[in-house]
Amino acid sequence: MLRKTRVVAVACACMLALASCGSADDAVRDYNRSDIAIFDASSVRADPKIAAMVPQAAKSDGKLTIGSNLYYAPADFKQGETPVGYEMDVMRAVAARMGLDLEIQESSFDSILPRIPKRYEAGASAFTITNERTANFNMIQYYEVGTSWAVAAGNPSKFTPGSICGRTIGVQTGTLQDETIAKKAKKCDKQPTIQRYDAQENVTLALSGGKIEAMTADSSVINYAINRTNGALEAAGPIMEKAPQGIVVSKDDPALTAAIQASLQSLMDDGTLKKIFKSWNIDENIASKALLNPKV
């Protein structure tokens, strides 16, 4: 279960009548406004053995540079211009244990992987570990989520996740759920209308505003959206298709992969990882082993 945060009234008003509230960006900022504190990475001490594992190319500027799409609350999002979320907290701790600062570069979700390693040393954007991704990248597990669906309160269109044919569905571009829906749509005689958005917040706004019948995302994301919309949305069906999430590193950089894996395992062993998730009221499905490229 996620943190119960104070819902800002204007955010709900914008979601229900977006046209009267200015831009979608304004609504997104209100939707994500809360009193969540950024994890204090200064509480995480560097481990000399792990720091020694970091390759010179990565440690030369003293930073671990990651690419992330900051529109996927509660994993990765912004308060003002500050990146927050459970994954951003995890990455700050990972970098600190490696003796590095964290540099977060914002990107569209589907452009992160192609930019590793030339632009980003790692990718952290709630990436689901899949066999297709691990064929091309190293992925280090730290958490597990499922796929969930949400509809407007009362489910006025009587939507069921098992029957998407002919329905109007929203999803964030490039996510596992986007890929899954596209595959399922091929089996439909009457094709669903799939509305894709670059920001998950805008998927939520579309559902709240009646532009779509249902949306699908990671279970943690759906829970967060339901909590933030103050009764405007509800879950549809059970959590399905559980899968691990992981940090992405180039296969051509085994040294950096090993350093990040060792850092994550250290955070698991000393309880820091659980502490980070606990601050988000998440206490289930947190990995105890930083598995590299687990089979799924």
Side-chain angles (χ1 to χ4, degrees):
M1 186 173 62
L2 301 180
R3 176 196 295 270
K4 292 183 179 179
T5 50
R6 178 173 55 87
V7 177
V8 182
V10 68
C12 293
C14 284
M15 284 183 281
L16 295 173
L18 188 57
S20 66
C21 296
S23 71
D25 284 345
D26 290 339
V28 167
R29 280 193 292 271
D30 286 331
Y31 174 69
N32 284 331
R33 186 181 297 161
S34 76
D35 57 357
I36 297 170
I38 299 171
F39 178 72
D40 183 9
S42 66
S43 64
V44 179
R45 295 185 178 182
D47 184 317
K49 292 183 179 179
I50 295 174
M53 298 172 64
V54 179
Q56 185 58 41
K59 70 171 61 174
S60 59
D61 61 356
K63 300 175 182 178
L64 176 64
T65 302
I66 66 169
S68 184
N69 176 254
L70 300 173
Y71 291 93
Y72 207 61
D76 314 289
F77 62 111
K78 292 188 292 187
Q79 290 177 351
E81 294 303 314
T82 302
V84 296
Y86 67 72
E87 190 169 38
M88 295 296 94
D89 287 349
V90 169
M91 293 309 301
R92 288 186 178 96
V94 166
R97 187 56 48 90
M98 295 167 67
L100 302 172
D101 293 325
L102 184 68
E103 180 176 317
I104 302 164
Q105 295 189 9
E106 187 175 355
S107 174
S108 62
F109 181 83
D110 54 1
S111 67
I112 296 172
L113 296 184
R115 293 176 177 175
I116 298 173
K118 289 186 177 180
R119 183 166 178 175
Y120 313 128
E121 291 164 327
S125 200
F127 282 108
T128 301
I129 298 177
T130 66
N131 293 333
E132 291 79 9
R133 286 173 176 161
T134 56
N136 298 294
F137 297 91
N138 283 332
M139 300 191 73
I140 308 162
Q141 179 179 348
Y142 70 92
Y143 184 46
E144 184 179 69
V145 295
T147 288
S148 291
W149 289 81
V151 295
N155 195 6
S157 68
K158 307 304 179 186
F159 174 86
T160 57
S163 180
I164 68 169
C165 300
R167 300 294 195 148
T168 302
I169 299 164
V171 69
Q172 182 172 345
T173 302
T175 59
L176 178 66
Q177 290 80 18
D178 186 7
E179 297 172 6
T180 300
I181 288 175
K183 291 177 182 177
K184 289 182 178 179
K186 292 179 180 179
K187 301 179 181 179
C188 291
D189 292 331
K190 185 178 181 181
Q191 288 294 299
T193 300
I194 305 172
Q195 295 187 12
R196 295 177 170 88
Y197 298 82
D198 288 337
Q200 174 58 39
E201 288 88 341
N202 289 335
V203 187
T204 303
L205 294 172
L207 179 57
S208 298
K211 295 181 179 179
I212 56 178
E213 296 177 79
M215 70 176 184
T216 182
D218 288 348
S219 52
S220 59
V221 172
I222 295 296
N223 286 345
Y224 183 87
I226 290 171
N227 286 341
R228 292 296 292 179
T229 51
N230 199 28
L233 305 180
E234 64 181 47
I239 297 174
M240 302 176 291
E241 301 164 346
K242 282 193 175 182
Q245 286 184 347
I247 300 168
V248 185
V249 191
S250 170
K251 280 192 179 294
D252 294 329
D253 202 341
L256 183 60
T257 298
I260 291 176
Q261 184 181 19
S263 180
L264 263 179
Q265 188 62 57
S266 174
L267 296 171
M268 293 172 184
D269 292 343
D270 70 3
T272 299
L273 190 69
K274 285 188 176 180
K275 184 186 297 184
I276 290 171
F277 276 99
K278 187 68 174 178
S279 72
W280 293 88
N281 279 358
I282 298 173
D283 54 16
E284 295 181 342
N285 302 317
I286 305 160
S288 59
K289 297 293 182 182
L291 301 178
L292 176 62
N293 300 330
K295 295 297 181 181
V296 294

